[in-house]
Every structure is written in structure tokens, then in C-alpha cells.
Amino acid sequence: MPAHNADIAAALNDIADLLDIEGANPFRIRAYRNAARTVGELGQPVPVMLAQGADLDDLPGIGPDLAAKIREIAETGSCALLGRLRQELPPGITELLKVPGLGPKRVRVLHHELGVQTIEQLHQAAREGRVQAIHGFGPKSQQAILDATAAQLQEERRIPLWRADQTAGALLAELATLPGVARAVAAGSLRRRRETVGDLDLLVSLSGRSPVTDRFVGGEDVSRVLAHGSTRASVVLKSGLQVDLRVVPAESFGAAWVYFTGSKAHNIALRRLAQERGLKINEYGVFRGRDRLPGATEEALYQAIGLRYIEPELREDRGEIEAARQGRLPVLVVLGDLRGDLHVHTSESDGRDSLEAMAAAARARGLQYLAVTEHSRRLGVAHGVDPARLARQIDRIDRFNAQSPDFTVLKGVEVDILEEGTLDLPDTILQRLDLVVGAVHHRFDLPRAQQTARLLRAMDSRYFTLLAHPGGRLIGERPACDFDLLRVLRKARERGCFVELNAQPARLDLTDTACQMAKAEGVLVCINSDAHSTLEFNHLTSGIDQARRGWLEKADVLNTRTLEDLRPLLARTMQ
Ligand code: DGT
Ligand code: CA
Ligand code: CA
């Protein structure tokens, strides 16, 4: 399959990184970086240009040698030079580039002087004080490396929720088939739908004698057994993920499920409340002196201490117990509440499927509308649109809608917010749209005051509807940028515009607590898939998980509105 420009640019950047670590000639390194940028900003896919017989060495800064490499990458996905560099250097070395503050030059020195090849080894070296001994690295940079690698390692041990879901689903299905097993359920952070999961906690209740723990530790994917008794077992799977299993009698099931769902902070707060009422709760039940109160269901356990049932996503000791006490728990949004999706890409920019295919897929999921929001021109790597191409897409959408009585495609764009806070497309084209989604895709590193000013200025644009993935983070890969969220939310309310909860599993941006803040400030949150293919409407489920952790109700979410109710809200941002 021919490579996308973005993949070609990434491969060229990898070559530059590896050459840099190797200590190659700076001019050669710069040539690869420039070529990566040039390819990234091309208006056309390289494979298409090649098919049309274009000469790549006509491009600025690209000579015959680089042109041949680009052709090789475009046709095969890689090139001999990249393969050779990857073989010569230790496989983990590019991981070191992920440590904030470490560029190729410093990685080269650390590798050369200390022989470190992995983040773990670098962490160890910093802990032993060996980093500060190197020329150019003082105690201060050693401490920074120590902190950054610690954070990196911590983060790496947690896995994203969607992956945990897959493993847990398979294990639970297996447990449920064992003789004597009445129920097999998930607990822990997985059930609370945290965005990352440290280990899996599974709970089984029995209807008779059962070989459940023996069969569990003997499972095919188990690499190590940490504990094995008749009521509990812990294993490490081949993937490195730990799984804790508890087996409980049916009469304790509710109490145990609450206990092992956590969070720990929620449990502690529950226990304190129970004590105030002269009760004792633990994983076996609720007790007044020696009497056991009903604890077979979670509802019964909560009721015994005077509370309404609390949804697992809320169990973080962030006010849910007080809310349950006062009977003002939120009625959390569910997937079926969503009527549309306001951030979707098609093959016109970096999506995989056509506008028509995306609309059909959204409709098949019961949605009523979607907004097509291609990248704008600055994002050459994503084949971003210029005004002329956007104008053609607007016409195409008009034609589509004329033929589509029961599903509407809204005209949008995901316009880049430039460094100074201006937008990457002129008002003359933006004003023809139904909505303008603004997003930051570069200079994530601006200082707080400057980043905040950039976002506020963007929201002051004449046409601005929705701030996409506000934090700009990629979970486990890139931290959120630093800005004053409260000021941004207040500006959004003042301007009548909205913030996105981007549902891509790697983004989940807004975070849960940021959703709570948006709700408190009276700013509607839009849960968008940011789908780049028809399959990616699945992301909406992850977005709903996160929104629920953020206490959002149907009314707090913009795209639970019918198209009729949505239109005037969008129109207010486009005047
Ligand atoms: P994780 O695994 O780091 O993503 O987070 P959790 O919440 O799944 O934590 P985990 O696996 O250590 O424990 C599962 C649940 O068991 C936890 O949410 C609450 C309960 N639990 C564990 N240790 C304690 C404890 O020391 N006290 C109380 N009250 N509950 C605990
Ligand atoms: Ca856990
Ligand atoms: Ca655990």
C-alpha cells in the first residue's frame, strides 16, 4: 500500500533523529528534517505525484538522492537507510527521545557516555548520580531527567482503558463458563472507566463448588502466578498486565463489588459515613454489631448507609457522597442521548472514507447529523484544505443534503489556531460554514500566559464555535499544554461558544475534572468522535465514559440536541 505523506514525513524525521543520535553531519540531518517538512506541506499525496510522473527533485531542497529515498518510502513504507540505522542503534534508543527535555544530541551523549539504551536504564543512571558527572549535565538536569523518567515509567505501566476492556472481556467470558460460577464481573478502575488502568480486578460469585481459581491461574495467557488460594488469586499475564481475582459468596456480592470497585478514596469516605451511623462496612457486608444488614446488592449496601446508588464512574470522592446524601446525584449522559457528531474527517483531508460513507455510517448508528471538519491548510501533513477546496466541499455538502431528507451534514472545518491566536483561514470562507472548530496543532510548548492568550484570542474571532481537544495531550505520549482553563471556559461562556470532549482514546480531552469545570461554568461540552474512518464512530463510547466521569448529564452535552435545537446555538457563534 502506498504511504501517506504524513508517514513519509515521519520516516524522514526518524532518519534525521537516528542520524543525529549517531552523530552524523549536521547538514545531512537538516536536509532530512527539511525534506520531512516539505513533504508534510505538499498539497498532493506523493504517490499520486509519482504516478503522474512528477520529478520530486524539483521540490525545494530535495536533490536526486533524497528524491530517491522519498520514492522508496512512498512505495514500500520504509527505506534501506532507515532499516540500516535501526539495526545499528539499539532498538529502545528513540524511546529516550520521548523523555521531555531530551533531544537527539543529549540522547547521543547519554548513550555514548553511559551506555544507556532504555528509559529504565536512564532512570537508574540518574538515580545513581551518574548523569550529573557528564559534561553538560549538572545536578539540575539530572533531577529533571530523574523526574521525567519516573513519570514516563509510571505512565507506561498503566494501560489504556480500551485495551484493558479487551483483556477483561475475554477473561470474564471464560470465567463465566466455569462450573459453579454464578456471576463474573469487572471491578476496580476498569469499572470506574478511568482512562488508564493499573491492573484488572475481577470478581466472581459462586452457586456451588467451583475450580475457578485453579482454572484461572492455569490460563493460557498467564506468565506468572503471584498468589493462589481458594478465594483469591493474582497473576501476571504474558502482556505484563496484572489481574486480581476474588471469589465471594452470593450474600456478600454487593458489598464486595462496592469494595473492589473503589476507588480507595470513595471506600474510605463510605466507611466514615457508616461509622457515623453506628455501622461497619467491609468487603463482606454491612454490620450493626453482630447483625448483618442486607448486602447482596450494591443498592442494598448504599441504602443501608442512607445513600442512593452511586454510578461507578462517580466513585472518586469528588463530591458524590454528599450529592447522594442530598439526593442530587447527576443522571449521567448515555450513548443513546447523542444525536450527532460535530468533528469528523473525510478522504478530502486525512480521513479514509468519503463524505457519503461517513454520513451513512453515522446514520446507521442512529445519529441525525454530523459536521465534516477537515483540517486547514497549515496542516499540510494532513492534506489540510485551502479556501478553494473548502468552497468545493461546501457545494458538495449542499448537493448531498438536497438528496438526504433524514440526515444532515453540517459544513464545518477544523481550523488551525496559529501561534498568535489567529485562524488559519480567512473570514470570507469561514462565514459560509455552519460551524468553525478551532484547534491547536503546534507550539504546544508556549508558556502559560502566552498559550492562554492564544486561545482567548482565537475565541474572539468573528467565527468560532468549538474549541477542539483543548489540552492537546496524547495519553502516555505528550502532556497537555499549559493554559488557564478557567479563563478559557469563562470566555467560551461569554462568547456563547463550546468546548470539545474529543473521544479519540489517545486524547480523551477534556479530562474528567475539566468536564466538571465546564459544567460548573455553564459551558456546554460537545462529545466528538474525531472519526477518520467509518469505524471510528466507535470512539463515541470512550467519550461517553469520560463524560460520565466528568458528571455530565444529557443537558450538559451540546450534541444531545436535536438538529432543530442545535442550529440556533451554532448560528450564534457564526454572526
Ligand atoms: P488501578 O488498578 O491503579 O488502575 O486502580 P484501582 O482503583 O483498580 O486500584 P486497585 O487495583 O489497587 O484496587 C482495586 C480496588 O480495591 C480499589 O479501587 C479499592 C479497593 N482497595 C484496594 N486497596 C484498598 C485499601 O487499602 N483500602 C480500601 N478501602 N480499599 C482498597
Ligand atoms: Ca485495578
Ligand atoms: Ca488490583
Side-chain angles (χ1 to χ4, degrees), residues 43-63:
Q44 267 199 76
V46 169
V48 173
M49 294 172 64
L50 289 171
Q52 292 169 349
D55 253 341
L56 293 180
D57 54 14
D58 288 346
L59 294 170
I62 294 189

Side-chain angles (χ1 to χ4, degrees), residues 188 198-201 234 242-244 246 260:
D199 69 8
L200 297 184
D201 303 281
S234 283
Q242 184 176 325
V243 188
D244 297 338
R246 306 281 174 150
F260 292 113

Side-chain angles (χ1 to χ4, degrees), residues 69-269:
K69 297 248 169 26
I70 294 172
R71 175 186 281 272
E72 192 183 349
I73 299 168
E75 284 166 357
T76 70
S78 185
C79 70
L81 171 63
L82 185 55
R84 180 177 68 74
L85 287 167
R86 285 200 173 126
Q87 265 188 352
E88 282 170 5
L89 289 161
I93 201 91
T94 43
E95 289 290 298
L96 292 178
L97 293 171
K98 284 197 202 158
V99 177
L102 286 190
K105 297 216 170 25
R106 285 160 75 84
V107 167
R108 177 173 74 229
V109 175
L110 289 165
H111 175 55
H112 194 253
E113 297 289 318
L114 300 172
V116 295
Q117 307 187 356
T118 63
I119 293 181
E120 221 142 19
Q121 290 168 350
L122 176 58
H123 183 70
Q124 188 68 16
R127 214 169 49 200
E128 291 165 3
R130 288 185 283 135
V131 171
Q132 63 180 11
I134 305 174
H135 180 70
F137 289 78
K140 242 171 125 177
S141 46
Q142 170 165 292
Q143 187 60 43
I145 287 174
L146 192 63
D147 294 344
T149 49
Q152 204 92 10
L153 291 170
Q154 185 83 38
E155 201 44 58
E156 271 168 17
R157 273 200 296 270
R158 299 187 69 81
I159 64 166
L161 180 61
W162 63 269
R163 267 186 44 210
D165 264 337
Q166 288 175 348
T167 307
L171 289 172
L172 288 171
E174 249 180 82
L175 289 171
T177 64
L178 297 179
V181 169
R183 288 186 81 178
V185 296
S189 52
L190 178 97
R191 185 172 180 231
R192 303 197 313 279
R193 311 308 289 159
R194 261 193 77 174
E195 57 194 35
T196 60
V197 166
D199 69 8
L200 297 184
D201 303 281
L202 307 180
L203 192 64
V204 157
S205 78
L206 299 183
S207 55
R209 284 180 57 82
S210 175
V212 60
T213 58
D214 300 342
R215 296 283 286 273
F216 175 71
V217 300
E220 203 174 292
D221 288 333
V222 170
S223 83
R224 220 148 38 97
V225 178
L226 304 175
H228 178 196
S230 61
T231 60
R232 57 173 296 181
S234 283
V235 300
V236 178
L237 301 180
K238 286 176 185 152
S239 64
L241 181 65
Q242 184 176 325
V243 188
D244 297 338
L245 173 70
R246 306 281 174 150
V247 182
V248 300
E251 68 269 20
S252 299
F253 186 77
W257 207 9
V258 169
Y259 183 88
F260 292 113
T261 296
S263 65
K264 196 170 162 181
H266 176 83
N267 288 352
I268 290 169

